[in-house]
């Protein structure tokens, strides 16, 4: 048996709320269910740089960042497989909150992807509000998420840890821009966000 994520969204949010609440504001939509469910791992984190998770300050990945495997099981709810709007079974990634707002914070999604490099944009999209009639192909939704995350990474001096075009150019620029101390310690925490005119 299977159940649509959208059909249990309210229950997932209520169950997560019993565990606590975020200290800082997270993005949310106008609908009461268009929110990111509470996740204890990010309780003290937020959109301001001083509240980012430590992993966002790590400049370059190390081997330990790529030792994850895909989850061996699908996400389950009361013994039923949870499926997204495209009728695909959803992977059980403990790094991702059980629901995400449609305009979910880029810092949070990038954190999840750095914690487990198997996580994809589709894993985020499946946890966002949607209509069961709407295909998960949804290029506009996926492109919006991707563009927002790219913008966040550029201003936050966060290299992509995936092999994509222009990654060498981005790293070459930041290698010159960052203080030598940041490169040596493999951490940008002592630096700052880039200004608009500095973004490569």
């Amino acid at each position: 048996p299977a159940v649509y994520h959208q059909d249990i969204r309210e229950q997932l949010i209520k169950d997560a709320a019993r565990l606590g609440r975020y200290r800082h504001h997270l993005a949310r939509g106008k609908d009461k269910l268009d929110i990111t469910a509470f996740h204890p791992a990010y309780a003290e984190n937020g959109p301001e740089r001083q509240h980012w998770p430590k992993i966002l300050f790590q400049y370059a990945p190390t081997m330990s960042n790529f030792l994850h495997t895909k989850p061996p099981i699908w996400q389950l709810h009361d013994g039923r497989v949870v499926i997204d709007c495209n009728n695909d079974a959803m992977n059980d990634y403990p790094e991702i909150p059980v629901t995400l707002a449609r305009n979910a914070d880029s810092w949070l999604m990038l954190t999840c992807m750095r914690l487990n490099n198997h996580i994809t944009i589709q894993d985020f999209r499946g946890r966002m509000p949607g209509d069961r009639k709407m295909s998960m192909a949804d290029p506009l939704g996926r492109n919006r998420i991707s563009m927002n995350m790219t913008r966040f990474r550029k201003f936050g001096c966060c290299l992509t840890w995936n092999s994509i075009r222009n990654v060498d150019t981005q790293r070459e620029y930041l290698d010159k821009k960052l203080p030598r101390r940041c490169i040596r310690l493999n951490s940008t925490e002592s630096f700052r966000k880039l200004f608009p005119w500095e973004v490569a």
Side-chain angles (χ1 to χ4, degrees):
V3 60
Y4 280 105
H5 186 270
Q6 298 305 320
D7 291 344
I8 60 172
R9 187 176 184 86
E10 184 170 10
Q11 186 60 51
L12 291 174
I13 292 172
K14 288 181 179 178
D15 290 345
R18 297 190 182 101
L19 302 177
R21 58 184 298 178
Y22 293 113
R23 180 178 178 185
H24 305 286
H25 175 77
L26 269 65
R28 61 181 300 158
K30 295 181 179 180
D31 187 88
K32 69 175 184 177
L33 299 183
D34 189 4
I35 66 172
T36 295
F38 178 74
H39 192 305
Y42 314 117
E44 300 297 317
N45 301 131
E48 296 300 321
R49 193 172 188 277
Q50 63 265 33
H51 301 140
W52 288 358
K54 293 293 184 181
I55 198 168
L56 292 185
F57 296 117
Q58 183 179 335
Y59 184 51
T62 62
M63 285 301 297
S64 63
N65 296 119
F66 298 107
L67 298 179
H68 307 288
T69 58
K70 288 191 174 182
I73 60 173
W74 291 321
Q75 184 174 338
L76 299 176
H77 182 79
D78 291 339
R80 295 177 292 175
V81 176
V82 181
I83 58 178
D84 59 27
C85 296
N86 205 38
N87 296 322
D88 290 327
M90 295 175 62
N91 291 316
D92 186 17
Y93 285 116
E95 297 86 358
I96 311 177
V98 289
T99 72
L100 292 171
R102 192 184 301 275
N103 60 338
D105 297 76
S106 293
W107 69 263
L108 175 58
M109 292 187 287
L110 183 59
T111 296
C112 293
M113 295 183 86
R114 285 193 166 192
L115 290 172
N116 192 321
N117 61 299
H118 289 289
I119 292 174
T120 68
I121 288 180
Q122 180 165 331
D123 293 308
F124 297 139
R125 188 65 189 86
R127 289 162 173 78
M128 295 178 180
D131 189 326
R132 289 210 303 264
K133 297 178 181 179
M134 177 184 66
S135 171
M136 277 292 295
D138 182 24
L140 291 179
R142 291 190 319 196
N143 289 344
R144 172 180 52 80
I145 296 170
S146 180
M147 287 189 296
N148 288 343
M149 289 182 67
T150 297
R151 179 179 174 83
F152 172 83
R153 283 194 303 97
K154 287 185 174 182
F155 279 93
C157 298
C158 300
L159 283 179
T160 178
W161 287 359
N162 298 321
S163 296
I164 62 172
R165 291 177 299 176
N166 299 326
V167 65
D168 290 336
T169 302
Q170 294 169 8
R171 177 154 190 170
E172 181 180 349
Y173 175 80
L174 287 176
D175 279 350
K176 295 177 181 178
K177 188 72 181 177
L178 291 171
R180 292 302 91 192
R181 173 181 172 83
C182 292
I183 305 296
R184 186 174 69 254
L185 298 178
N186 196 29
S187 172
T188 62
E189 189 167 7
S190 62
F191 194 52
R192 57 171 172 77
K193 285 185 178 180
L194 295 183
F195 296 109
W197 58 86
E198 295 178 296
V199 174

